[in-house]
Amino acid sequence: MIVAFTTPAMGHTKPMLPLLGGLVGKGQKVVCFGHKTFENTIRSTGAQFLPYPDVDYDIDAPDFNLLQMGADLIRASQTIHAKLLPEVAALSPRLILQDFMAFWASRIGTALGIPRIHTVPTLVFNPATQRRMRREDGYAKLAKDVLYGTPALLREMVRFRFAASLQEVYGVERSWRRLAPPLCELVFCLRELQVGDPLGDVPRHYIGPTINEGRRFEPPASRGYALITFGTLSNNDTRRFEAAIRGAFLAGYSVVAQCGGKVDRQHLETVTKALEAAHRGQKATVLDSVSDMEALIIGADVVIHHAGMATTWETVRYSKPALFIPTIADQKVLASQLEEQGFGIRLPRGRELDARAIARALETVKSRDYPWARIHDLLAKAGGAPAGVNVIMEALGTGR
């Protein structure tokens, strides 16, 4: 039996699903702990779903202050660890498969002596990546994070009796002192995009995106709009959507904006009506949510997004050029790496609310040639979910 632990965020849970389905397909019994929001999604893989206990954590509005987030993870782990340790012991799994931020799983695996494999749905937070993230955030944000995040972190560390370091909480390489290290890491990214040394203190397998498993649509012959989406966590700023919509109109695009439920949709619809009146022939559609992003992506000429990993790979799957407008530090680093490798263009820093700058960037996106054949070859060589399943099956067979 394999026990899996997710982190309650779509960008962390979704890439694990093809691994769960692949393992079930290999005849493995998989029990997956997760947030009740993802119950149906997890069950669809064939895995057994078990819910996390209730914790004081808003999955729709996490705090991106890394010190505060560390405090939140420690606090959540206290509840989850106490409740699930005896349950996992009773299940007696041979292996734990966990998101690298599921700190409670690292604690449970260490306590029970169960080997673990970590999944990493973004760039690996090695020293080089952490330095780049700090530069991207700038001194003002770092100072604010320290000022507001340190008290919460110290409070939780004292309650936790300093039983693990903050680096261990985040599953950072070469940090394992009080907790056992994982057997290996499965990174849902290309090695070519990783900042710094791609190797770590445990075997690291860059298997690429797991979602690139047989697309269900073929792009239609006629396309022609800019799709705007800023993910499930970063899409809470109405101004960013308004600027992107205005910029797309200035660049000559019709627009489909998938905004979620955390913005002022009425305001955006007022803006789009005025734009439609001023730009004859161009249309705009504002959506709260959709059941399948693929259907929107295949109809787009360009995708304006936040450089979240899931959106990035869904866009690449259909060879769609992108304009990256990242929100948080790791997205900013990834956006620069993606631009360097020819996946799209990153909007210049500080221009997120500048519609004219967005329009100029979209003109650049239009004029570029993209090395899609090379990119898809890299993805094929990485192997995706089948490669990850093979690594897990080998660990089950050899114990290492």
Side-chain angles (χ1 to χ4, degrees):
M1 176 191 289
I2 299 170
V3 168
F5 290 90
T6 61
T7 294
M10 180 60 77
H12 290 251
T13 300
K14 186 175 181 180
M16 288 184 70
L17 302 180
L19 295 180
L20 303 184
L23 291 167
V24 170
K26 293 281 188 181
Q28 296 297 316
K29 182 177 181 181
V30 180
V31 175
C32 182
F33 288 95
H35 191 279
K36 58 186 178 182
T37 300
F38 302 106
E39 178 175 356
N40 291 338
T41 305
I42 291 170
R43 288 188 186 279
S44 70
T45 67
Q48 178 184 347
F49 172 83
L50 292 176
Y52 282 140
D54 291 332
V55 295
D56 182 20
Y57 180 77
D58 185 352
I59 68 169
D60 291 320
D63 194 317
F64 291 117
N65 178 329
L66 292 179
L67 298 179
Q68 178 64 59
M69 191 181 293
D72 292 342
L73 290 171
I74 293 171
R75 186 173 63 255
S77 81
Q78 294 289 70
T79 300
I80 296 173
H81 175 268
K83 174 70 167 58
L84 298 190
L85 181 65
E87 291 188 35
V88 176
L91 290 170
S92 189
R94 296 174 60 196
L95 182 73
I96 287 176
L97 178 68
Q98 68 172 91
D99 181 83
F100 80 113
M101 286 181 63
F103 172 54
W104 43 87
S106 297
R107 293 181 61 192
I108 290 170
T110 298
L112 298 177
I114 301 169
R116 311 187 320 276
I117 291 179
H118 285 196
T119 61
V120 183
T122 181
L123 297 171
V124 175
F125 291 173
N126 61 15
T129 303
Q130 292 178 59
R131 286 193 295 271
R132 285 274 295 275
M133 289 170 64
R134 288 192 290 269
R135 286 202 299 270
E136 289 284 359
D137 274 344
Y139 290 115
K141 184 180 185 305
L142 290 174
K144 183 178 179 181
D145 284 358
V146 170
L147 178 63
Y148 291 102
T150 298
L153 178 61
L154 285 176
R155 183 168 58 251
E156 296 303 328
M157 290 291 279
V158 168
R159 291 174 178 170
F160 188 47
R161 298 181 181 179
F162 294 90
S165 68
L166 181 61
Q167 297 289 81
E168 285 178 293
V169 171
Y170 280 110
V172 174
E173 65 182 49
R174 298 182 175 86
S175 67
W176 305 106
R177 299 293 183 271
R178 299 174 179 86
L179 299 175
L183 294 177
C184 66
E185 295 172 331
L186 300 177
V187 185
F188 304 145
C189 186
L190 293 176
R191 183 185 179 115
E192 289 76 10
L193 293 173
Q194 180 61 45
V195 178
D197 185 356
L199 303 179
D201 55 340
V202 300
R204 185 174 288 160
H205 306 274
Y206 290 86
I207 65 173
T210 58
I211 62 170
N212 199 21
E213 308 298 320
R215 61 194 195 187
R216 287 159 288 155
F217 302 97
E218 287 301 323
S222 60
R223 303 185 296 275
Y225 55 80
L227 172 63
I228 301 170
T229 177
F230 293 131
T232 57
L233 299 180
S234 310
N235 61 353
N236 58 1
D237 190 338
T238 302
R239 300 172 304 161
R240 289 170 64 89
F241 279 101
E242 180 178 348
I245 291 168
R246 290 184 181 278
F249 263 79
L250 288 173
Y253 288 103
S254 291
V255 167
V256 175
Q258 195 267 313
C259 298
K262 295 183 284 185
V263 299
D264 187 344
R265 180 174 172 177
Q266 183 176 357
H267 172 74
L268 293 177
E269 289 179 339
T270 300
V271 168
T272 57
K273 287 178 181 177
L275 289 170
E276 288 176 339
H279 299 265
R280 291 188 178 277
Q282 291 173 244
K283 300 294 181 181
T285 302
V286 178
L287 304 169
D288 283 338
S289 61
V290 294
S291 58
D292 199 325
M293 281 295 291
E294 278 190 83
L296 295 183
I297 290 171
I298 61 173
D301 275 347
V302 62
V303 182
I304 302 171
H305 68 88
H306 58 306
M309 197 65 81
T311 307
T312 293
W313 297 125
E314 288 173 343
T315 301
V316 168
R317 178 166 23 175
Y318 293 101
S319 302
K320 302 293 183 178
L323 173 61
F324 307 117
I325 308 181
T327 303
I328 56 179
D330 63 310
Q331 294 170 358
K332 295 173 183 177
V333 176
L334 178 61
S336 293
Q337 295 296 99
L338 290 167
E339 181 176 41
E340 185 177 307
Q341 291 292 326
F343 287 70
I345 303 297
R346 179 181 175 180
L347 185 71
R349 295 168 179 82
R351 298 292 185 179
E352 294 83 5
L353 305 182
D354 186 338
R356 294 192 178 279
I358 292 171
R360 289 192 296 270
L362 286 171
E363 293 294 342
T364 303
V365 171
K366 284 184 191 178
S367 66
R368 290 283 180 92
D369 291 324
Y370 296 90
W372 295 121
R374 179 181 66 83
I375 290 170
H376 287 292
D377 184 56
L378 291 174
L379 293 174
K381 289 179 179 177
V389 170
N390 287 340
V391 170
I392 297 167
M393 294 298 293
E394 183 179 347
L396 287 171
T398 64
R400 63 178 185 276

